[in-house]
Amino acid sequence: MDYLARTEGFELLLVSNPDIWDAFDPCPLGVLVRLVNFRERRLTAGGDQHDLTAFLDVFVEANALSFAQRGLGIPSWVVIDLAVSPSALLLLTAPPSVVARRAGELLASDPYSPNGARGVRARSAAAALQSLLYRAETLGYDGPLPVAGYGAAATPIPGRWFGWSAWSLLPGLDLGYAIKRLALACYRTRLQSGVTQFDNAEALHLHTKFGPLLITAARLDAHTAAHTFSYDVDVSDLPADGWPAQVDLQPTDELAMADIDEWAGRMQDEIAGESHQHFILSPAAGSDVIPVFRRTR
Ligand SMILES: CC(C)(COP(=O)(O)OP(=O)(O)OC[C@H]1O[C@@H](n2cnc3c(N)ncnc32)[C@H](O)[C@@H]1OP(=O)(O)O)[C@@H](O)C(=O)NCCC(=O)NCCS
């Protein structure tokens, strides 16, 4: 994973406050992350000084662009009050020149190629990168740009963290996995909880790399995004070399995306009645079913 810290001027920043730094591992899986005090006014990068407030503004934009489809961007006050004051954000940054070059490469990819869906996804990723560059420009900010990130909140139970943001604006590099894996190691997480959506195949593919997701609530209708559920995943025994978890479970059911409301309701009844447990396994790319392992309690 140290390729992240060495490639194309990429850098990993753990943005937090010095009062709680000692709790974090600054070298997760042997990869050095740089601690950044969000209370400072300047961000040093490549020997230059940049405005840290503008950098955090650009982060808010990057995060919102990643979650635009589901309207799950967060305002700046949440970043300060809930992300970097009581916890830490792990951000992968790249110089603007690298972001501009990658946007050009993504734009040039052919949407009509045999893997055309990727081409279309590449174009929307290119548009997002261009919006990010534009936002930085309007702020007069020319420092490193956040291109992927992960944030989690500590819970009162030691080792148990609640993930609330995993995103990447550079598709095709598996950055979502890398950033989440490193962040969980920084936090010294043993059990990770989180919420995501049943119809977010990319997210399911990412999160199941950490192990089967035990569904704790199959319907969270109060959430902003439809089809949201919550899960727990045990991350206490992941391979030390950084590879994803080895999962031996075989699916007992394959749930069709088209019938989410029906089976999610049934699943929730079983969870509430404590009759069964349900684990989400990794969906195949492009598949319209979710593999689930269901067992009696
Ligand atoms: C989830 C997310 C972070 C993944 O980004 P990423 O790591 O850059 O993804 P990549 O393009 O590198 O693809 C990673 C893997 O996902 C797979 N994948 C991509 N699209 C997929 C899909 N629709 N279904 C299943 N798998 C998919 C790829 O084949 C690749 O598989 P591999 O690692 O086994 O080779 C990104 O899609 C994102 O930011 N989404 C918007 C924000 C979001 O919803 N975050 C999740 C919050 S719960």
Side-chain angles (χ1 to χ4, degrees):
M1 275 212 202
D2 63 343
Y3 75 94
L4 283 181
R6 287 187 281 104
T7 311
E8 298 187 324
F10 281 2
E11 193 176 16
L12 286 158
L13 305 182
L14 190 71
V15 186
S16 184
N17 81 71
D19 306 342
I20 56 173
W21 272 349
D22 286 351
F24 301 123
D25 181 350
C27 196
L29 299 163
V31 180
L32 201 60
V33 306
R34 185 149 68 93
L35 299 168
V36 172
N37 178 354
F38 82 93
R39 296 174 183 147
E40 301 269 335
R41 302 203 49 204
R42 301 274 161 210
L43 172 69
T44 308
D48 292 323
Q49 301 260 311
H50 303 281
D51 187 316
L52 188 53
T53 302
F55 172 75
L56 292 173
D57 255 355
V58 176
F59 157 70
V60 168
E61 177 76 4
N63 189 261
L65 287 164
S66 297
F67 286 95
Q69 214 187 337
R70 287 167 212 274
L72 298 178
I74 46 165
S76 297
W77 73 265
V78 170
V79 175
I80 301 300
D81 293 18
L82 299 175
V84 293
S85 295
S87 180
L89 279 177
L90 185 65
L91 300 177
L92 180 73
T93 65
S97 58
V98 170
V99 173
R101 193 175 72 231
R102 189 66 190 133
E105 288 165 2
L106 288 164
L107 262 185
S109 62
D110 178 5
Y112 302 108
S113 69
N115 59 358
R118 261 175 201 226
V120 171
R121 187 169 165 238
R123 290 190 173 217
S124 68
L129 291 177
Q130 285 170 332
S131 299
L132 190 67
L133 287 162
Y134 180 71
R135 177 73 184 142
E137 197 183 314
T138 55
L139 289 168
Y141 172 82
D142 62 358
L145 299 172
V147 290
Y150 187 79
T155 76
I157 301 173
R160 184 168 183 154
W161 287 72
F162 201 97
W164 60 270
S165 185
W167 58 275
S168 162
L169 287 175
L170 297 180
L173 301 176
D174 224 359
L175 293 182
Y177 173 72
I179 199 88
K180 176 171 175 175
R181 181 72 199 267
L182 292 171
L184 293 182
C186 274
Y187 303 143
R188 305 178 199 276
T189 312
R190 299 182 63 74
L191 188 130
Q192 185 245 320
S193 304
V195 297
T196 189
Q197 290 73 43
F198 283 122
D199 58 347
N200 189 342
E202 288 98 331
L204 297 186
H205 191 82
L206 161 63
H207 298 312
T208 51
K209 286 187 175 176
F210 292 78
L213 309 181
L214 171 66
I215 302 182
T216 49
R219 290 193 64 145
L220 288 173
D221 297 346
H223 196 276
T224 312
H227 311 310
T228 294
F229 69 94
S230 59
Y231 66 88
D232 284 349
V233 59
D234 181 348
V235 294
S236 63
D237 198 23
L238 292 172
D241 56 10
W243 283 92
Q246 280 281 353
V247 177
D248 296 328
L249 293 181
Q250 294 302 318
T252 52
D253 301 285
E254 295 208 313
L255 305 175
M257 296 280 194
D259 306 324
I260 293 179
D261 287 333
E262 191 223 310
W263 53 253
R266 209 172 48 234
M267 200 182 261
Q268 180 54 34
D269 289 344
E270 291 186 348
I271 293 168
E274 298 187 358
S275 62
H276 292 80
Q277 287 184 316
H278 308 79
F279 296 85
I280 298 217
L281 309 177
S282 181
S287 163
D288 57 3
V289 296
I290 302 177
V292 168
F293 175 75
R294 174 174 174 267
R295 72 176 175 206
T296 48
R297 281 172 66 111

